Amino acid sequence: MSSNGSPSQIAEGTEQAEDRQKAANAAPQLQDVLRHTCPSPAGPRVLSTFRNILDRDSCDLVWVTKEWRPQQVTLHARTRTTAKIRQDVISSPKMQHTIEQQLSSQNEVPKEALWRELNDILIEMGHTQTMPVVRWFGYVLSKIMRKIYSGVFVNEESIARLRASIGNNPVIFMPSHRSYADFLLMSYVCFHYNIMLPVIAAGMDFVSMWGVGRLLRDSGAFFIRRSFGNDKLYWAAFSEYVQTLITAGENPIEFFVEGTRSRTAKSLCPKLGLLSVALEPYLTGQVSDIVVVPINISYDRTLEETLYSYELLGVPKPKESTSGLFKALNVLDEQYGRIHIDFTEPISVNKFFGDLRSPKLMRPLHLPHQITPDESTRIIWLANYVVRQQQKNAVISLFSLAAVVITHHVLTKPRNQLLNMHQLTRQVASLKSAAESFGALIDCRDNLEVSLQNALHIHKSLIVTSKDGQVQVKNVAAAQAPIDPAKMKGHSLQDKTLQVGVPMVMLQHYVNQTLHLFICPAIVSLSVQQSINQGSGMKDDVFARYLFLRTLLSHEFILHKAWETMDFEQSIQQLQKLGVLDESLHDSMKLSLGSNSHLHQILCQLLLPFLAGYSSACSTMLEVPAGKTVSLNEALKSTQARLEKLLLSAQLNHHYSLSLDLLTAAVNSLSSMGAVIKNKENGKVLYSPNSNRLRQVTQIVGDFLQLVAPICRKSQDEQARLFITQAKARL
Amino acid sequence: MGTAESTVRDDDNRLFRGHSHILDDITHLRSKKIGKIERVADVVIWPGCHGDVVGISTTEHSVLKRYQFDFCSICDPNKLRMIARRLTTANENNRKSSGSIPLKRQELLKWHGWGYKDTKVIVTQRGKLFITSNRYPLVKISQVSLKVREWIQQVWGIDLYEVENIPEPPENPDISNFPDPFLESEFLDGLLTLQIVYSTDGEDRFFRSHGQAMSDIMNARRYQIARLPDLVVWPNSHEDVVKIVDLSNKCNIVIIPFGGGTNVTSAVTCNPNEIRMIVSLDTSQMNQILWLDKRNLTVCVQSGITGRDLEEQLFREGFTTGHDPDSLEFSSVGGWVSTRASGMKKNRYGNIEDLVVHIRFVTAVGVLEKESRGPRISCGIDFNQIILGSEGTLGVITEVCLKVRPLPQLQVYASFVFPDFETGVKFTHDVAMKNIQPASLRLMDNMQFRMGLIMKEEQTFIGEIVDKLKLTALRAIANINEDEMSFAVAVFEGFKDEVAINKVKIEKLVVKYGGVSAGAKNGERGYLLTSTIGYMRDICLNLGMLSDSFETSVPWDRVLQLCKNVKSVVAEESKEKGLKHLSVCCRVTQVYDTGACVYFYFAFNAAGVADALRVYEQIESRARDEAIACGGNISHHHGVGQKRRKWVPRQISPTAVGLYSAIKKTLDPNNVFAVQNIVLPAEITSSKL
């Protein structure tokens, strides 16, 4: 342990300490709430309850033209026309107040202009769900999905559960967001099961796409600008629009609590804005309850996998355009395996918030609701809970496990040692049983070997198996047209870096799909190892180290504070069962490593790219001279440059550290730990180091990295052997 | 006559005949034993309920105290008990009530439900409904139509065409179950001296142990009332009350004031843990109009007079108070004041707090009253406001001076239908905005409107066709659909021209909101139905349903949401509790400038539901939570009682609870008025004010 400070001291930073204390005080009570709210479903989840909805008796044409009598979200809710909804928003007391009393008089803008602007905003925003369009779209989708997917599997048990819990209160669907396909899938599933089609909150980027905007609008999407800062009128219009949808309860509302597609396949930290707006009608007593349904959509293979890879490395994302979409249609030639959809246990917001609901009833409804600190804490909790539920109900593909094994092999084994199919199967099998003991449902329908081969086959563009059973990673990076450095979001990486980087990041995409299972056990394993190395091994000491890592990675993974003790205890139990930690201890307060060092190594290695990236981010920030500030972009660029140097000089060998998402999370994390200070100047966010703290953090992160790095210290040249160098470019 | 025993035996028959005879006999009897007693009129016997004699006493302690138990010992206890019972009966019968409510309420009113004994709803074959008296002519006979039958079957799981001989509770309660009263001899002596009529009869005590809340009635029907009052006392005047309260304060006795007994908040329920004697102070014999001042438009009444008696007498003089709650026939003026009642025609006449000019209020530490008959007074805090809504916890209201108005020249009913509840609410809101409220305006939702259809006259063939035509026309012309529409009823009062103008304004507004007029008769029936709703509730109970009402008041901007949410919560909660057949409906029953009063009826079929009463209470509690969370409040006019205490601190702030406790401690240091209404007892003791 470094002399600069123990992890526990760091974790309990100045402002943080208070928050933590508060959370700790609130925790038991909230745990209670949760326990009562969400009884875990009886029995373990099984694949047999999933049914392929593409596999149906009627032909697509009969299917899309079936009589439409959906199950209502709330009784007596009447479907409003688009114009009526717009009228309702405009005539709502809140809108009237905002325009007449606030904006007009404060800014001395004529009211008429504001009303016109509002009308424009609403036209831009509004959905126009029309069944004929939905039907035709459904028809086309059926055809496409049949072509590229081998099945869309829906957990019918969860559908039954959903059906039972709707009918009285507004419903919010919150699916996980990994792909554009998510937008369409939910409506497709609802149509199939005769559930009222959701109205979907979508980003404005689609609107500019010719035809597509219209199409999405007609199938029930409404559009929200990505950022509207201080535009009060827009904010009011948007929140009133969402709230009228909630209070009227005619359709389920669907939005992605992660805010945007996760390029990394890990769950993003939930965004609270839209959720808070959607919950306001409940908090102010306009509806008696809201049913929140977290939904997991698991893809065997993500449509955008290559695109994401480039994007994470900083190669710019092409602007959404219809022609781009057609270009992307060549994805239709490929196979993308299965999709699994699971509606998780519906959450009653009233049961979640019941004790807090004391609306300021003396306030008339037209005044905006001020969310209290208690409410806000609870909303964060709910959002995290939703994401966790999504994760818990994932169906993990065998390829994800294979990706873990392959990555581990690439990073740890010398050049002359290739991975063969036999080894892979064996290691996947052991990893599978580990994952299952962490509660995962693994998509393995036949015997493992066949399933694994099928899974690899779907990803044949990334992983190839030679005839003699050798498993290799393809180099998928294209010799790109030279990219205008000005367009690069990050540092201009060398071709050499990209060639290994792109497939590695793609592989990590699938590794990431499993990380929610492994992250806590991995943190605990590493903490135990470090604690033992430092001569302690006491549970308290391990916990302190665990807390530090957890805080550090809290922008990377869903690690809500309130669950820290629960997660810790659970992880220890699971690790003991798996033999990673020694079970046969007499002293319950002392932990030590068990016999399963292979799994221990895999777990620790999973943390490598993160620790490496974070460590570099620390170093970069340390170099910022006192009194100077950097923008996020500058920080990212120089960190990437630093990492590239490390990669080229073989001091580091995992290219995922270059991920801009990872590095952004690192900066955010340092900022919330108080190691860097966030300033806003002229609307720009700038960062400056808080030297003492930053040095402490850097030291501790470095210590952890030291433990992980040797497991996989191999030079890049050696690894490169695993890649087929002349693979065809695909992008 | 030989021995004392033979006297009793010989005179058994004579004992029935009257007061004086009995007393003579007892005198005789006693003279034989004691030999020198002259004053006998004051002798009294306390009967117990189970064949034992509790004791005997007279007012002249000095003379008799020593002998009272000797007297017992020489008599056969059974015979003495008989004497005693007849004595009390005779004692009461001697006092014929001057008002419409007799001392023995059970002779006129039901012990197991709402209203008059002679009035109940009977269902005969094929869904014919009768009301067995002529008190409610407009709804006397009705025929459930096939369509309504089907609907009821669906909603309540009951086929009204098949029910016959619905089991009913017996006419008289089973008296064998009543516990003995606990009696304090000093207090009884005191009453005797004061010559105030009282009773310890089981039925009398039982009748005053509960109100009219559904749970009260269910508990009474099952004899599950933990504690009865020990004695019922009937004062005649303010002075009587002052003396009784004084005496109680001295003897450490509990008084629970009892007016019309129509509370629906368990407001007269005795504390089962009370170790002191509990006296139910029945004001029904304080039923006189003391004076009517036609020039100053005021009337002064004793607090026990019922609304019906008061209005009938005023009517003869050409006046009215205009206070017209649904319970008018039974509820008393004192009850109105102590629960902050509201009358249907409050738009024209005001609620009780607007009508009250002066109150005499007897507390344990003295009489609280304001020495002014002026129309208004600015003299610091208005302490009338602590009497209004005190719910019997601070003292007894004895005399009330109310405003009166000359009878209106014209009274007209009207009714309207609207496409749905939402437009109906918007209409009522607009009425309030334009300040053109008729004397009364109510809006029923679709469900309640349909419930009303149960009590509809049998249709002739022609009538049915006309009805169908009307419905078709509604759908075609006004775009009003029978399954969605809401139904409004209104009363206009005043001078002819005044009524005409008001009516035109209202009708215009009705048209604006897409409504259609539905005639005066439907309007009148709408109002009459609400005064028979208690009887309907009882037949529901007999049919195995549980049903009751609850109300709230809410600002306009939240009315619709509140209605929707409360219904949704009830539905949700019922689903959770596994109820299959239920209905929840509401009406906007009072229209204010700033908001409205919303009244809910909730009913469910209790067949196969375990512990149904508790299920009902849980759901109602959830519904009220929701009403409050939606911006409603604890009650518009029913009051708090013991049913809604848990919401009070949040509703009025802990400071106000402290203030109430301080008032309570000051006005009632010995806790004579120990009925635990409004605030939980623990909160009073813990208050630091």
Side-chain angles (χ1 to χ4, degrees), chain A residues 78 247 284 286 350 357, chain B residues 420 558 564-565 622 626:
Chain A
R78 268 185 259 156
T247 46
T284 53
Q286 296 179 72
N350 186 42
R357 192 186 182 199
Chain B
D420 55 21
R558 290 175 182 267
K564 200 175 94 183
N565 290 359
R622 229 347 235 118
E626 186 59 30

Side-chain angles (χ1 to χ4, degrees), chain A residues 467-486:
Chain A
K467 276 179 193 140
D468 53 350
Q470 309 282 12
V471 181
Q472 284 180 296
V473 185
K474 252 184 183 174
N475 180 4
V476 293
Q480 290 235 337
I483 299 161
D484 177 8

Side-chain angles (χ1 to χ4, degrees), chain B residues 45 73 96 105 130 310 328 358 415 429 465 472 591 680:
Chain B
I45 302 171
S73 63
K96 194 154 169 1
R105 284 169 191 258
F130 283 106
L310 172 60
L328 183 83
H358 176 256
S415 65
H429 184 199
I465 292 178
T472 321
V591 177
L680 286 162

Side-chain angles (χ1 to χ4, degrees), chain B residues 333-350:
Chain B
V333 173
W336 297 346
V337 173
S338 72
T339 57
R340 285 188 173 266
S342 169
M344 159 197 120
K345 291 185 286 195
K346 72 96 199 148
N347 291 342
R348 187 169 174 84
Y349 301 97

Side-chain angles (χ1 to χ4, degrees), chain A residues 478-522:
Chain A
Q480 290 235 337
I483 299 161
D484 177 8
K487 276 193 181 168
M488 289 289 287
K489 257 187 96 184
H491 172 69
S492 290
L493 298 170
Q494 297 179 17
D495 269 0
K496 199 178 165 192
T497 314
L498 281 180
Q499 274 180 8
V500 187
V502 172
M504 280 303 276
V505 172
M506 261 170 80
L507 203 54
Q508 182 71 25
H509 182 86
Y510 296 97
V511 173
N512 281 346
Q513 287 182 348
T514 67
L515 280 190
H516 66 270
L517 298 168
F518 297 127
I519 185 64
C520 285

Side-chain angles (χ1 to χ4, degrees), chain A residues 12 16-33 355-356 374 377-378 381 560-565:
Chain A
E12 306 280 339
Q16 288 259 317
E18 276 171 42
D19 287 354
R20 188 171 294 278
Q21 197 53 45
K22 249 188 240 164
N25 290 342
Q29 187 194 348
L30 290 174
Q31 291 282 8
D32 261 12
V33 172
D355 53 328
L356 278 189
D374 280 349
T377 314
R378 198 66 67 89
W381 179 299
H560 191 48
K561 266 181 201 160
W563 298 319
E564 54 197 18
T565 315

